[in-house]
Every structure is written in structure tokens, then in C-alpha cells.
Amino acid sequence: WYNAEYMGISAFQKDLVNSSMHVRSLALRMLSSIRIPAIHPVVMVAIKKCSTDMTTVVRKTAAISLAQAHAVSGGEESQETIVALIHQFFGDRSTEVVGAAALSYMEICPNQVQLIHKHYRRMCRSLVDCDEWGQVVLLHILLRYARTQFTDPNAERVKPKVEVVEEDGDVTTPETSDNESSDEEDFGGALKLDTDHRLLIQCVKPLLL
């Protein structure tokens, strides 16, 4: 039985250099789904190789395969290698690959916020172009990021300064009562919104239309 398994693994490895991108993609998908922890190093080498493939389909499969390989190995793989690959996929020029990398990120290291810092703005702008599943995962990551990395814009509002020009030409600022001051804080103040926080809101709006 094991001989048949290892023969299949050898065949998949050969298919990784096939001229057809679909064959390469399918070979990596099958290789990463084999539940034999002993071949995990072989799977990681295959993922690294496919992470630099010229076609989007193969790179997307490589990004998804990270989560599959992590599940099979039980988290025993080198964390540095996994993090480096996710970081690479987040910087990919294809939004499909970014969406697939987001899925692996959520499965493997959802609390490593430092991976998002460099790619945050591009991930925001990728929301509109991602497929539906990629949008769901990316949106979840970006919302978590916004809650933990940006200050609450409602915590401090900037009160609009009202000036009155008197008949003699003097400019004065009228005093307000406690009730009026409270109303201004609730309704009249301007939100102090970080530019990157505002970018996320602007990129999410088209998804709601």
C-alpha cells in the first residue's frame, strides 16, 4: 500500500514541471492533501517551487496548499518558512492569490498582525477585485486589523468652532451651556479618522451597493 502511495507521490512531483498550468496546479493540490506527515518536507519544497510560478492558477493553489499542509503536519513545520511564504503571497500581483493567502493566514497564524502592516493598503484596494470567498476572508482580516490597530474615532471629537461677528466688528466665541455642549459632542463634532481607517471604509462601500 505504501509503495503505491510513494509511486503516486513521485508521479505528482513529475507533474509539477508539466507544461500545462492546470496539471501543475492539480498535482500540487493532490500532493498537499496526502495525509502522510513523513512527506511534509517534500510538500513544502513543492509549495515553494510553485509560489514563484508564472501563472496565477498555480500560485493560488500554492497559497491554499499552505493551509492543507499545515493541517496534515499538525503545525510541526517551520513557522518562519510558513510566515515568509504568506508574506510573499500577500505581496503577489494577483488579487486571487492574495485572497487565497488570506485564507491560509486565518488558518495558520491569524494573530500575527505584523504580516498585514506592509500590505494593508493594497489589501484594502484588492477587496473589489477579489472573488466572493476572497472578499469574505479579506474583509474579516481587515476588520480585525482596524479594531486592534486604529483608535476609536468616536472617543474624541473635534468640536466645530463657532465665531460671531459683533456690530462693532469684533469676533467673539459664544459660551455654551452644558446641554448645548453635550449636543455638540453627540452630533456636531467632527470625527478624527485615521487616513488608513478611512481608506478601509471607502474600499468597503462598493461591496455594500
Side-chain angles (χ1 to χ4, degrees):
W1 182 79
Y2 277 104
N3 288 336
E5 286 285 344
Y6 285 115
M7 287 178 63
I9 293 168
S10 178
F12 292 143
Q13 286 180 290
K14 291 178 181 178
D15 286 338
L16 291 174
V17 294
N18 193 283
S19 59
S20 170
M21 62 180 179
H22 297 293
V23 173
R24 296 197 302 274
S25 174
L26 185 58
L28 179 60
R29 183 178 299 179
M30 296 301 297
L31 193 61
S32 62
S33 63
I34 296 176
R35 308 191 69 83
I36 302 179
I39 69 164
H40 181 71
V42 175
V43 175
M44 290 305 300
V45 169
I47 292 175
K48 287 181 182 178
K49 179 181 178 63
C50 293
S51 68
T52 57
D53 197 275
M54 294 296 293
T55 61
T56 299
V57 173
V58 178
R59 295 198 307 276
K60 179 181 178 181
T61 302
I64 295 175
S65 296
L66 274 178
Q68 293 177 321
H70 175 77
V72 172
S73 69
E76 296 180 358
E77 71 280 340
S78 171
Q79 193 72 8
E80 292 182 2
T81 302
I82 292 289
V83 168
L85 283 170
I86 292 177
H87 183 73
Q88 176 184 334
F89 287 130
F90 273 155
D92 197 275
R93 60 182 179 273
S94 170
T95 56
E96 293 183 24
V97 178
V98 174
L103 177 61
S104 289
Y105 170 84
M106 287 300 299
E107 292 288 335
I108 300 170
C109 50
N111 297 320
Q112 297 210 20
V113 186
Q114 70 274 14
L115 288 175
I116 310 297
H117 294 325
K118 182 178 179 181
H119 307 289
Y120 170 78
R121 294 176 183 174
R122 187 172 180 276
M123 290 169 74
C124 287
R125 297 187 179 100
S126 299
L127 275 171
V128 178
D129 299 322
C130 280
D131 58 75
E132 290 80 0
W133 292 109
Q135 286 176 345
V136 171
V137 180
L138 266 182
L139 192 57
H140 181 68
I141 292 174
L142 291 172
L143 288 177
R144 287 186 61 198
Y145 183 89
R147 291 192 185 103
T148 57
Q149 302 302 308
F150 300 131
T151 57
D152 183 358
N154 295 302
E156 183 178 356
R157 287 174 177 258
V158 180
K159 295 181 182 179
K161 187 176 181 181
V162 179
E163 294 181 341
V164 177
V165 180
E166 304 291 347
E167 293 181 358
D168 56 2
D170 293 336
V171 178
T172 61
T173 302
E175 296 182 359
T176 57
S177 65
D178 293 339
N179 292 335
E180 290 174 345
S181 177
S182 176
D183 290 341
E184 283 185 1
E185 290 181 0
D186 292 338
F187 304 106
L191 290 176
K192 281 187 175 180
L193 198 60
D194 187 272
T195 53
D196 285 333
H197 200 168
R198 191 182 301 276
L199 173 65
L200 175 59
I201 295 174
Q202 290 172 345
C203 292
V204 169
K205 280 182 180 179
L207 305 181
L208 305 177
L209 299 178

